[in-house]
Amino acid sequence: MRKGKAVHNKSGNTENIWRSGSGAMFVSAPNIKATHAFTTRYGGFSEGIYSSLNLGLNVGDDRSAVLKNYDALCTGMGISPGDIVFSAQVHGTDVEVVTKEHRGCLTSPTSRKADGLVTNEPNVALTVFTADCVPILFFDPVKKVIGAVHAGWRGTAADISGEAVRVMGEAFGCNPSDICAAIGPCISSCCFETDADVPQALREALGSQAQNCITEAGYKFFVDLKEANRLLLLRAGLGDISVSDECTSCSCDKYWSYRKTKGKRGSQAAMIIIEDFNN
C-alpha cells in the first residue's frame, strides 16, 4: 500500500489517510495489516449529487465516471480493478466464500446475493458498499484469510459479523482469537434515530448488553450500531477490534449518507485484499 499521512481521530486511535496519484482518498484501520480501504467522497470524477468518488454502479451515476473512480482508487491501493469481487447486498446474513473465479465484477456484474464475503486467495479484492450502514473488514494473519461485511441494523441484529467469523472458521480453520476486525465509518448513535423496532431487535440479539447501544429519547431511540457489532464480535471470540469514531451523517461532506441526502447519493466502499508478492 502506498504511504500516506497519519491522522489521529477523537478517540485517540490512529487511522491513516492515503491519497493516490489520481486523487482518490480513503482511510485505513491501524490493526488490519492487509491492503485495505474505507473510501471517502474525495478524489473522484463523478459530478452533481454523486460528486466525486462514487463507487456505486447502480445509483444512477454515469458508468464511465464510476469506472474512472475505481481506476483512481485501485491506483492508490496498488491493486487491479479486475481483481474486485462484490455481491448484491440485501441486508441479510449470507456470507459467501469467494475465489479468483468470482473476479471481474466491474465488467460482468454479479447477481449473487450476499452481505458478506470471505476468501483465502491472493489478488481477490473483497468489496462491500455502504452509505450509513456498518462496513466491517476482517483479517486473520495466521491463516491469511480476509473478509468483508455490510451490516445494516437488520444484519447487525441477525449477527452477520458473527456469521462471518463462523464461516472463516468453518471454511479455512480460522481461530477467532487470531482474527482482527475493523469497524469502519458509518452512521453513529448521535444521528441514528429509530423507532422501537430497532432496539427491540438488538435486545433479542444481545440481551442485557443491548442497553449499552440504546439511548431513549421520548418515543424515539438513538442506537449505536458500532458498539452492537463490537459486542457481537467480542462474543464471537475476537479480541483485536478497531472502531472508527467518524459518523457518515455528521461528516456527509466526507462520506456518503443515505439519511442526510434522503437517498440521493453515491456509495463508498470497504475493500480488502491479500496481495500475492510472488507475482
Side-chain angles (χ1 to χ4, degrees), residues 212-233:
N212 297 322
C213 314
I214 301 166
T215 301
E216 295 188 28
Y219 294 103
K220 295 288 187 176
F221 303 83
F222 287 90
V223 174
D224 188 343
L225 293 180
K226 295 176 187 176
E227 177 64 7
N229 279 285
R230 190 187 73 85
L231 291 170
L232 289 165
L233 288 169

Side-chain angles (χ1 to χ4, degrees), residues 256-268:
W256 301 106
S257 171
Y258 182 92
R259 283 202 168 200
K260 205 74 170 185
T261 62
K262 297 179 171 37
K264 298 178 180 179
R265 47 79 193 177
S267 294
Q268 55 248 359

